[in-house]
Amino acid sequence: MTAPKVPEVVLSSSSGQRKMPVIGLGTAPGSISKGTTKDAVLEAIKQGYRHFDAAAAYGVEQSVGEAISEALKLGLISSRDELFVTSKLWVTDNHPELIVPALKKSLRTLQLEYLDLILIHWPITTKPGEVKYPIEVSEIVEFDMKGVWTSLEECQKLGLTKAIGASNFSIKKLEKLLSFATIPPAVNQVEVNLGWQQQKLRAFCKEKGIIVTAFSPLRKGASKGANLVMDNDILKELADAHGKTIAQICLRWLYEQGLTFVVKSYDKERMNQNLQIFDWSLTEDDYKKISEIHQERLIKGLTKPLLDDLWDEE
């Protein structure tokens, strides 16, 4: 089976107009994974994935880097430039003077010369130190957004990354960021799935030329109990009607919305199914049914207790 051609989007504020494949393999820990991150990334490269989403806090950068160097050795790719690699800086490094060293550390761990995209993982700063989760509110200090962003712009100018972006930013926080950014964010990576469709935020980003990348596109991951998407009767019905999996319906919807998305599956077969979404379409009737799905945010925050103003009531 030949790997499908994965469509790409241009990151408008990136160096050299870098293109990002719309689907990426997520590497966040938490769900029960079959096999290791290294094996999963290698398998994904074999299947045609070219976009990999990591983060300093996931503890996977070394495995992702090892998989990339193995893929080069095996001739699965002829150059690192064929891949799009994202990482994210953790809240302990959200200090203007720590951004460049933190990114250089990620690059060393990944064994890469540059990243395609670096994101501010959360719009929160804590005292420097180890990655802890959840975060105690007592650890939080003021987030110097302008200072941090200026340091990220410096990373792009230095060639350490091709593009810079945000993650978990509300409209209000993006507006603040855009008010002083000389290099605007290329991407805002946020939760988007059929149970949390984020129309307002998506419309804002579209208007500002910011690409939205959806995490938890199948609403798995941190959820305990029923999955509003994968256990949804409406979606089961649509999947049956199209002869597709529920996951394929979810990902096709995201694609039709003009979004990019990172999906975590280390299962070989599901990895392949998740790529088979580019040669069919949802109908108007499907959209009507999809609009009736109950909406509720899955990932509510990362602090204990939760912060009142993290999402700015959006």
Side-chain angles (χ1 to χ4, degrees):
M1 189 169 194
T2 55
K5 178 79 188 96
V6 175
E8 297 174 318
V9 293
V10 173
L11 301 184
S12 54
S13 63
S14 63
S15 310
Q17 298 290 287
R18 195 75 176 140
K19 290 188 175 118
M20 175 199 246
V22 297
I23 184 170
L25 185 79
T27 60
S31 54
I32 299 156
S33 303
K34 291 181 182 173
T36 66
T37 297
K38 181 183 171 182
D39 292 342
V41 171
L42 258 179
E43 175 59 33
I45 291 173
K46 284 178 190 161
Q47 291 200 19
Y49 284 81
R50 291 294 178 265
H51 169 185
F52 296 92
D53 182 81
Y58 298 167
V60 296
E61 288 177 321
Q62 188 179 338
S63 304
V64 172
E66 286 170 1
I68 292 170
S69 76
E70 183 90 354
L72 283 162
K73 272 198 207 91
L74 294 169
L76 297 174
I77 47 173
S78 52
S79 139
R80 176 266 178 262
D81 303 344
E82 291 174 33
L83 301 180
F84 189 101
V85 183
T86 300
S87 199
K88 313 178 192 86
L89 297 172
W90 191 237
V91 296
T92 46
D93 288 322
N94 272 345
H95 300 268
E97 71 285 2
L98 296 182
I99 295 288
V100 174
L103 177 48
K104 285 180 170 169
K105 185 184 174 191
S106 278
L107 289 172
R108 280 196 304 275
T109 311
L110 284 156
Q111 305 173 59
L112 296 177
E113 309 258 308
Y114 68 89
L115 279 174
D116 295 282
L117 177 63
I118 187 76
L119 304 175
I120 298 175
H121 207 151
W122 291 86
I124 292 172
T125 301
T126 63
K127 296 165 193 162
E130 296 304 302
V131 173
K132 292 200 272 295
Y133 197 89
I135 291 162
E136 296 293 338
V137 170
S138 60
E139 289 289 304
I140 293 178
V141 294
E142 195 185 343
F143 174 40
D144 172 8
M145 192 191 288
K146 189 173 184 179
V148 164
W149 193 255
T150 304
S151 296
L152 276 174
E153 292 177 333
E154 184 60 20
C155 290
Q156 185 167 330
K157 288 173 192 156
L158 289 168
L160 299 172
T161 184
K162 302 282 184 199
I164 54 179
S167 181
N168 297 299
F169 271 52
S170 62
I171 292 173
K172 186 178 169 183
K173 290 184 175 77
L174 287 173
E175 281 177 329
K176 183 180 173 181
L177 177 52
L178 290 168
S179 71
F180 53 70
T182 57
I183 302 175
V187 167
N188 187 24
Q189 184 178 127
V190 292
E191 179 191 343
V192 187
N193 52 59
L194 287 173
W196 189 245
Q197 296 177 16
Q198 294 264 46
Q199 262 107 353
K200 266 169 122 162
L201 178 63
R202 290 195 283 121
F204 176 84
C205 288
K206 191 175 178 181
E207 181 199 323
K208 301 293 180 191
I210 301 169
I211 297 288
V212 172
T213 298
F215 71 72
S216 298
L218 308 178
R219 210 179 167 88
K220 285 197 182 114
S223 63
K224 304 281 176 275
N227 184 321
L228 283 181
V229 169
M230 300 304 275
D231 302 327
N232 187 292
D233 290 337
I234 296 174
L235 293 178
K236 282 182 183 150
E237 190 188 309
L238 296 190
D240 290 345
H242 283 277
K244 303 290 175 193
T245 66
I246 291 180
Q248 286 171 325
I249 298 289
C250 294
L251 299 178
R252 177 69 201 183
W253 178 83
L254 290 164
Y255 176 60
E256 290 186 10
Q257 301 303 304
L259 303 186
T260 59
F261 36 94
V262 293
V263 59
K264 179 171 181 198
S265 176
Y266 285 7
D267 177 89
K268 213 166 166 172
E269 195 180 339
R270 280 202 295 272
M271 232 185 240
N272 182 270
Q273 287 170 350
N274 292 341
L275 287 177
Q276 311 299 324
I277 58 164
F278 300 115
D279 57 355
W280 53 279
S281 310
L282 296 167
T283 66
E284 233 173 285
D285 190 47
D286 295 340
Y287 270 87
K288 261 200 214 74
K289 288 177 177 150
I290 282 168
S291 69
E292 290 159 17
I293 295 171
H294 171 74
Q295 297 294 297
E296 190 190 328
R297 191 189 292 277
L298 172 69
I299 309 293
K300 297 187 169 60
L302 71 163
T303 57
K304 202 172 77 179
L306 290 169
L307 298 177
D308 291 336
D309 60 350
L310 180 59
W311 308 112
D312 302 307
E313 288 164 32
E314 287 171 18

